Amino acid sequence: MSEYKVGYFVGSLARDSINRKLAKALVRLAPAELVFTEITFANLPLYSYDYDADFPKVAREFKDSIAAVDAVLFVTPEYNRSIPGALKNAIDWASRPYGQNSFTRKPSAIIGASPGAIGTAVGQQHLKSILGFCNSPMMNAIEAYIQFKPGLITDDGEVTVESTEGFLRNFMTEYRDFTRRVLSVYPRSPAN
Ligand code: FNR
């Protein structure tokens, strides 16, 4: 079976991020064909198109890290009913310069955790709109809105509730199958 390189974004910059715990759990529970690297973005400056003529090294490396993977996975909190500003800034960098959008034809999926019952559902709708504009084929089902109660996932990414563990495992299996389907139609990017 083919292996797929997955780059995952953790939308939160917080030290004790619950979405980072969720990301660790997803990596643990994913099928063996998925090989993960985190795509970090905390060091990117605020984007302006003034940079388009000459991207700084940190931004070129960031775009290279997306080019190097077959698919992307967003694990993100909802901030004020949208996505965190740092994540939006990173996506803006990735989408430019014009004609060099890193997300074109790159399969993606979205998941997020919140202490609240809505479980990032509203923020995810914003992210779907953004990624749609960036021409990323997105996994529409299954949806995953995780309400994070204290202790649900340990710092090491161990899920303490069996039904949640099963749900997350299934999400990652669906994501592998979705990635396989998309890549059977779209060739992988030359960097791969
Ligand atoms: C939040 N939080 C939040 N939660 C939510 O469900 N919907 C929301 O719109 C918001 N808005 C929001 C804005 C800002 C600026 C902060 C700091 C927080 C609460 C949020 O879900 C909670 O802090 C989570 O712990 C954030 O995830 P990470 O950063 O721990 O992964």
Side-chain angles (χ1 to χ4, degrees), residues 48-62:
S48 151
Y49 63 75
D50 294 342
Y51 287 113
D52 281 2
D54 186 18
F55 261 30
K57 184 163 175 277
V58 64
R60 279 187 272 114
E61 287 173 352
F62 171 68

Side-chain angles (χ1 to χ4, degrees), residues 140-173:
N140 292 314
I142 52 182
E143 298 174 296
Y145 310 121
I146 308 302
Q147 184 175 20
F148 196 103
K149 300 208 170 126
L152 177 67
I153 303 175
T154 68
D155 289 351
D156 296 331
E158 213 168 299
V159 184
T160 61
V161 175
E162 204 175 318
S163 59
T164 304
E165 185 181 61
F167 176 83
L168 296 176
R169 184 177 281 117
N170 185 42
F171 179 86
M172 294 309 280
T173 303

Side-chain angles (χ1 to χ4, degrees), residues 7-192:
Y8 67 94
F9 294 73
V10 177
S12 174
L13 304 182
R15 201 180 36 240
D16 296 325
S17 164
I18 58 175
N19 283 279
R20 178 163 296 285
K21 295 186 204 338
L22 175 58
K24 282 187 186 165
L26 294 167
V27 169
R28 284 176 85 121
L29 296 171
E33 298 95 321
L34 300 182
V35 179
F36 292 89
T37 51
E38 182 174 358
I39 296 183
T40 58
F41 51 83
N43 294 333
L44 289 169
L46 290 177
Y47 173 77
S48 151
Y49 63 75
D50 294 342
Y51 287 113
D52 281 2
D54 186 18
F55 261 30
K57 184 163 175 277
V58 64
R60 279 187 272 114
E61 287 173 352
F62 171 68
K63 281 177 74 76
D64 288 348
S65 67
I66 301 172
V69 296
D70 299 315
V72 288
L73 174 66
F74 291 87
V75 187
T76 184
E78 175 180 290
Y79 278 5
N80 298 314
R81 296 283 182 253
S82 185
I83 60 170
L87 178 60
K88 178 60 163 59
N89 181 56
I91 294 171
D92 289 346
W93 274 108
S95 70
R96 293 280 156 159
Y98 184 77
Q100 295 174 50
N101 166 19
S102 303
F103 293 116
T104 292
R105 298 184 171 181
K106 190 81 69 179
S108 62
I110 304 171
I111 186 170
S114 163
I118 292 175
T120 74
V122 183
Q124 288 192 35
Q125 298 314 307
H126 280 194
L127 184 51
K128 284 182 179 171
S129 175
I130 295 162
L131 292 175
F133 184 73
C134 290
N135 197 23
S136 167
M138 272 169 282
M139 184 168 87
N140 292 314
I142 52 182
E143 298 174 296
Y145 310 121
I146 308 302
Q147 184 175 20
F148 196 103
K149 300 208 170 126
L152 177 67
I153 303 175
T154 68
D155 289 351
D156 296 331
E158 213 168 299
V159 184
T160 61
V161 175
E162 204 175 318
S163 59
T164 304
E165 185 181 61
F167 176 83
L168 296 176
R169 184 177 281 117
N170 185 42
F171 179 86
M172 294 309 280
T173 303
E174 290 285 334
Y175 176 56
R176 176 206 56 198
D177 294 348
F178 167 77
T179 297
R180 181 183 292 147
R181 279 196 299 277
V182 173
L183 294 176
S184 72
V185 178
Y186 291 142
R188 300 190 198 200
S189 66
N192 299 312

